[in-house]
Amino acid sequence: MRAIVHEGKDGLEGLQVKMMEEKTPDAREVKVRIHTAGMNRRDLAVVTKRHKGKDPAVIPGSDASGIVEETGKDVTRFNKGDEVIVNPGLGWQENSDVPPEGFEIVGFPDHGTFAETYICTEEHLELKPKHLTMEEAGVLSLAALTAYRALFTRGNLKSGDTVMLPGIGGGVLTYALKFAKAEGARVIVTSRSRKKLKQALDAGADKAFLTESDWSGELTGESVDLLIESIGAATFNQSLRAVRKGGTIVTFGSSTEDEVTLNIREFFYGQYNLLGSTMGSAEELRSMIAFIEHHSIRPEIDRIFPLDQAEEAFTYIRDTKNFGKIGFQMS
């Protein structure tokens, strides 16, 4: 099978498309013929930070849609020809406060979905949402599940709340925007790009302003109940000042420096809540699928690349050119 592989050199120079061994599923496993494989910033981190050229070759990729091509003899949940999506979380079935010991994400350290076929146990697949195309379903799972847990499980979002999403543009926050609006929330976004601000307003945002502007002025008259923070040190203290006293910040990532400094006295006097979040369980994934089916939510797709344009796609997401999701067309 053809696959996007990282080996031989560090960073993007180690990316190549090559033939890899195509295996047969074991008794409880399912082989999926991949149609579309969604790309996430995690894939960029794997290639540029976590996996080295001297390490054994790895196929990145955590998301995918496809068609069941072969099932092991003990598989009961799926049949040949079923349209499915990959659950990118390995070893986290029931919802819990934190992932269980041994939790991993598809695409590193083991092979992922940027290949013509992918094999996993039947517990790590779900049927494709019926209202989505294969392209839409292929860019769904990781980012949408991350947004769903951050908003609902951790952030306890309710209808009528005001949600702020600094740095709108990536997959998780575009899903968060759509989910929050579907739940009946007011949504405020920021971006460094005027084009992305317009795209966010077109997608349903109620208010949008430049990230480098005066947040206090822009937020006059607003009361932010929940803020989803994924930028890190560059905006964290602005985010803290943006949330109402007693409000909540949920963070799932950091596109700038990881370490932040805060005034602890100001924090505890404000009765703020600061919560971490990481992707989600299979139980939450199924709840998220039911939610998007009920509200007929579709992903915001920016661009789908052919398999042979791997380095271009990685550069595109590295430079944050996307508004919404990107992915690879596998078949």
Side-chain angles (χ1 to χ4, degrees):
M1 65 176 181
R2 291 206 311 156
I4 297 170
V5 177
H6 188 255
E7 67 172 341
K9 296 180 180 179
D10 291 349
L12 298 186
E13 291 185 354
L15 286 170
Q16 56 184 295
V17 177
K18 62 179 290 187
M19 294 297 296
M20 296 288 282
E21 179 185 3
E22 188 163 339
K23 298 182 179 179
T24 300
D26 291 337
R28 294 291 306 279
E29 290 183 329
V30 179
K31 178 189 280 190
V32 180
R33 176 66 56 177
I34 301 299
H35 184 283
T36 301
M39 189 177 186
N40 299 280
R41 292 196 70 86
R42 179 182 190 273
D43 304 315
L44 179 66
V46 166
V47 167
T48 59
K49 297 178 181 179
R50 303 179 66 184
H51 185 263
K52 304 301 181 184
K54 60 181 174 52
D55 297 334
V58 70
I59 301 171
S62 303
D63 282 335
S65 65
I67 297 175
V68 173
E69 184 170 270
E70 188 178 351
T71 61
K73 64 182 181 63
D74 294 334
V75 170
T76 59
R77 294 183 62 215
F78 300 99
N79 298 300
K80 184 177 180 180
D82 284 346
E83 295 182 337
V84 295
I85 60 173
V86 172
N87 174 0
L90 300 174
W92 191 3
Q93 289 298 310
E94 289 78 29
N95 185 19
S96 55
D97 289 341
V98 295
E101 289 295 324
F103 171 70
E104 296 284 358
I105 298 176
V106 172
F108 187 80
D110 296 327
H111 289 322
T113 59
F114 290 171
E116 291 178 322
T117 64
Y118 176 71
I119 292 177
C120 63
T121 62
E122 62 179 334
E123 288 80 13
H124 294 100
L125 294 174
E126 299 294 337
L127 290 173
K128 179 184 78 67
K130 291 184 174 61
H131 73 293
L132 298 184
T133 66
M134 291 295 269
E135 288 79 10
E136 291 169 332
V139 301
L140 179 70
S141 298
L142 189 146
L145 178 55
T146 300
Y148 187 86
R149 180 175 172 87
L151 285 175
F152 298 110
T153 306
R154 302 294 283 156
N156 195 28
L157 176 68
K158 302 180 296 296
S159 178
D161 285 351
T162 294
V163 180
M164 187 168 174
L165 307 174
I168 192 74
V172 177
L173 293 189
T174 52
Y175 280 119
L177 167 59
K178 294 192 175 195
F179 292 174
K181 291 304 298 179
E183 188 65 14
R186 176 173 171 80
V187 179
I188 302 169
V189 306
T190 81
S191 174
R192 292 178 297 172
S193 163
R194 293 184 185 277
K195 179 182 177 181
K196 290 183 181 181
L197 292 178
K198 182 181 184 306
Q199 289 173 304
L201 290 168
D202 291 342
D206 297 282
K207 185 178 180 66
F209 57 88
L210 291 169
T211 304
E212 58 268 30
S213 65
D214 174 15
W215 288 25
S216 61
E218 295 285 356
L219 293 172
T220 299
E222 300 284 357
S223 179
V224 176
D225 302 290
L226 173 63
L227 186 145
I228 306 299
E229 168 61 57
S230 61
I231 299 176
T235 58
F236 183 83
N237 280 290
Q238 288 186 95
S239 294
L240 184 58
R241 289 190 293 270
V243 176
R244 66 167 175 82
K245 290 184 177 180
T248 298
I249 294 177
V250 177
T251 178
F252 68 86
S254 174
S255 57
T256 60
E257 291 85 1
D258 292 345
E259 295 187 8
V260 300
T261 301
L262 61 84
N263 183 321
I264 194 66
R265 189 170 299 277
E266 180 182 330
F267 183 83
F268 65 68
Y269 271 126
Q271 303 282 307
Y272 299 106
N273 305 290
L274 176 60
L275 304 173
S277 191
T278 301
M279 218 168 70
S281 63
E283 181 181 352
E284 289 166 298
L285 177 62
R286 289 188 285 271
S287 295
M288 183 273 292
I289 291 171
F291 182 84
I292 68 167
E293 289 181 326
H294 177 73
H295 293 284
S296 299
I297 295 171
R298 295 181 178 276
E300 194 78 28
I301 295 182
D302 182 283
R303 186 172 172 184
I304 300 295
F305 290 83
L307 179 60
D308 293 321
Q309 292 182 7
E311 187 170 349
E312 182 179 347
F314 274 81
T315 302
Y316 192 82
I317 200 169
R318 181 199 66 191
D319 296 341
T320 62
K321 293 182 178 180
N322 57 303
F323 182 85
K325 293 294 300 179
I326 69 173
F328 291 103
Q329 192 79 43
M330 296 296 180
S331 61

